[in-house]
Amino acid sequence: MEKLLIKGGNTLSGKINCSGAKNAALPMIAATILCDQKVVLRNLPYLQDITTMFELLGSMGSEILLDENMDFTISSANLKDIEARYELVKTMRASILVLGPLLAKHGKARIALPGGCAIGSRPVNFHLDALKELGAEINLRNGYIEASAKKLRGANIRFSGITVTGTENLMMAATLAEGKTTLSNVAKEPEIIDLANMLNSMGADIQGAGSDKIIINGVENLIGTTFDIPADRIEAGTYLVAAAVTKGSITIDGIDPNRLMRVIEKLRNTGANIEHTDNSITIDMDKDCPQPVDITTAPFPEFPTDMQAQFSVINAISDGTANIYETVFENRFMHILELNRMGCDITVKGNHALIKGVKSIYGAEVMATDLRASASLILAGLCAKGETVVDRIYHIDRGYERIEEKLNYLGADIVRLPS
């Protein structure tokens, strides 16, 4: 199991490009199941979750080719196996995204209940209940979701709770359903808009993505397309925080700042100077000590839960006391114990973390428990005195493309160690 050795104390500076967004790419890969023609996806990030999703589609019969431009061409015309086996999905919850496309295109699916980060309950019942309203018959047997439908039919569906992957799954399923489907109380994340744009480029009829209500008029079939994966807003936010905690100055190219406005607002509250264009963000942290900022996570457009752990580090070295309230997942403070081992002063009670800023934190051996927790420990290592070793970094490789290479390019000192 590989580790990262981080020598703290370096100030980050320079310019990097933002990678393609994992959370946009995964549903788009699943969407290629919906058509028999070739789909070309560009700007895909090189991540373990992307590899896993390709392995999953390949196991079902899809053909995947990589060309000299690093573009992926996916053809699912010969897809024959409608089963997503446990050994392929146990590490990635996004595997559930093949359920809707398989049902819509092939009328049946057998999906192992997915795994992923241990950050709390993320039940799939929202997906299953909504698919039943489209006419699917669904049973849970021996750890698998077994679903079938002769023909999905449009319906008026209101989600009982906001779910990103549930919204995406139902959008994809409804594209080939008979008639009109209306989805209410849906997720508004930018990745929902990205998926709708891709599906519409394939001939779907989807309106309202990014609002409270999405309307899908079913079509008989979808066609191939070429689509660019947008930049990863969480990766960009993480590197902005890296600059803030090291008192650095960096520019991130290729990112739409409108997707990060709550993060930018909170960074400005810490004392950071931030400027942006239509496709870049520059941060300059010239203060000796950041100011504390209170955070409450919530679905987009509010502050993202995927940036909560990173802001824990800013607050841990701030000049004062801050409160973080996690309202999206009930078990997403697992990084706190590791941060406290580095000298942070953080108390957790339920969904509330009380963070008292300290003058210095110190390197230690720490263990990552999930994807964003991994990022927070790396950030802590960057601003800690001495050396930090982050273990179980397979989590970080699921969601950040070459993170140590990008940070080293900006002036960090990080070495990947073998197991």
Side-chain angles (χ1 to χ4, degrees):
M1 195 175 296
E2 293 182 321
K3 306 174 183 180
L4 290 180
L5 171 64
I6 306 166
K7 296 182 180 179
N10 292 3
T11 297
L12 301 189
S13 64
K15 180 185 293 189
I16 55 173
N17 290 316
C18 195
S19 298
K22 179 195 79 162
N23 289 339
L26 292 174
M28 290 181 186
I29 295 172
T32 64
I33 295 172
L34 290 164
C35 79
D36 292 331
Q37 297 181 9
K38 294 179 179 179
V39 174
V40 179
L41 295 178
R42 301 189 297 206
N43 196 38
L44 275 166
Y46 182 69
L47 300 170
Q48 185 58 49
D49 275 8
I50 300 296
T51 300
T52 300
M53 186 64 92
F54 278 145
E55 290 178 358
L56 175 56
L57 262 66
S59 73
M60 294 189 291
S62 297
E63 297 177 1
I64 301 156
L65 298 175
L66 174 64
D67 66 21
E68 64 276 9
N69 297 316
M70 302 302 290
D71 299 333
F72 285 85
T73 299
I74 308 165
S75 174
S76 295
N78 297 319
L79 190 146
K80 296 181 177 63
D81 192 346
I82 49 79
E83 179 173 317
R85 296 187 299 276
Y86 177 71
E87 60 266 24
L88 287 174
V89 307
K90 63 183 178 181
T91 63
M92 185 181 67
R93 289 181 181 270
S95 56
I96 191 68
L97 288 167
V98 302
L99 176 58
L102 284 173
L103 265 178
K105 186 71 167 64
H106 297 278
K108 54 184 177 179
R110 187 171 188 265
I111 313 296
L113 289 169
C117 289
I119 58 173
S121 176
R122 293 192 282 190
V124 299
N125 61 292
F126 293 152
H127 306 238
L128 306 186
D129 291 344
L131 287 169
K132 288 178 182 177
E133 293 192 53
L134 291 182
E137 181 179 332
I138 295 176
N139 295 292
L140 299 179
R141 291 193 182 95
N142 303 318
Y144 278 80
I145 302 165
E146 297 180 353
S148 62
K150 290 183 179 180
K151 180 65 177 178
L152 296 179
R153 290 179 172 81
N156 293 322
I157 299 170
R158 179 176 178 81
F159 287 104
S160 56
I162 293 176
T163 164
V164 175
T165 53
T167 301
E168 292 166 340
N169 229 340
L170 267 292
M171 281 172 55
M172 290 187 284
T175 58
L176 298 181
E178 184 179 290
K180 175 181 173 181
T181 297
T182 300
L183 304 178
S184 302
N185 195 33
V186 293
K188 303 176 185 177
E189 269 69 8
E191 293 78 19
I192 300 293
I193 300 172
D194 298 333
L195 178 60
N197 289 338
M198 178 198 174
L199 291 169
N200 283 339
S201 75
M202 297 169 68
D205 183 354
I206 302 174
Q207 305 166 32
S211 71
D212 289 314
K213 183 183 293 185
I214 299 175
I215 298 173
I216 306 108
N217 294 302
V219 298
E220 289 189 6
N221 57 70
L222 297 181
I223 60 174
T225 190
T226 297
F227 203 84
D228 292 319
I229 307 298
D232 192 322
R233 60 194 173 100
I234 303 302
E235 182 198 64
T238 300
Y239 290 132
L240 291 174
V241 174
V245 299
T246 63
K247 304 178 180 64
S249 177
I250 70 169
T251 296
I252 303 173
D253 282 335
I255 180 67
D256 179 358
N258 292 312
R259 299 186 170 208
L260 272 173
M261 279 305 175
R262 288 295 186 275
V263 173
I264 290 173
E265 172 189 318
K266 292 297 183 178
L267 282 169
R268 284 177 171 152
N269 290 344
T270 71
N273 298 311
I274 298 182
E275 297 179 357
H276 55 79
T277 67
D278 289 342
N279 64 350
S280 70
I281 305 174
T282 297
I283 181 171
D284 182 10
M285 191 67 173
D286 58 2
K287 283 187 171 293
D288 290 336
C289 193
Q291 296 302 303
V293 288
D294 290 340
I295 299 292
T296 299
T297 66
F300 191 88
E302 301 305 321
F303 191 89
T305 180
D306 279 353
M307 287 298 303
Q308 176 257 109
Q310 297 90 314
F311 268 75
S312 297
V313 180
I314 292 183
N315 283 321
I317 62 169
S318 71
D319 184 21
T321 299
N323 298 281
I324 293 183
Y325 294 92
E326 174 58 59
T327 71
V328 179
F329 295 119
E330 77 277 10
N331 193 25
R332 208 164 198 185
F333 285 135
M334 297 174 71
H335 54 287
I336 298 300
L337 289 175
E338 301 300 296
L339 290 177
N340 283 343
R341 294 186 69 249
M342 299 178 70
C344 299
D345 186 353
I346 308 174
T347 303
V348 174
K349 186 175 183 180
N351 73 331
H352 171 227
L354 176 65
I355 306 177
K356 298 178 181 179
V358 296
K359 290 185 177 180
S360 299
I361 60 176
Y362 300 89
E365 293 188 11
V366 292
M367 182 174 66
T369 54
D370 61 69
L371 173 55
R372 305 308 171 185
S374 304
S376 74
L377 297 178
I378 292 173
L379 296 177
L382 291 175
C383 61
K385 292 184 176 180
E387 295 184 349
T388 298
V389 176
V390 182
D391 203 352
R392 296 177 67 183
I393 60 169
Y394 61 85
H395 288 294
I396 204 79
D397 292 333
R398 290 183 48 234
Y400 290 89
E401 185 177 40
R402 307 185 315 275
I403 188 168
E404 74 271 25
E405 293 180 27
K406 288 191 175 184
L407 289 172
N408 284 342
Y409 183 78
L410 295 172
D413 187 345
I414 306 176
V415 177
R416 184 175 288 247
L417 302 175
S419 56

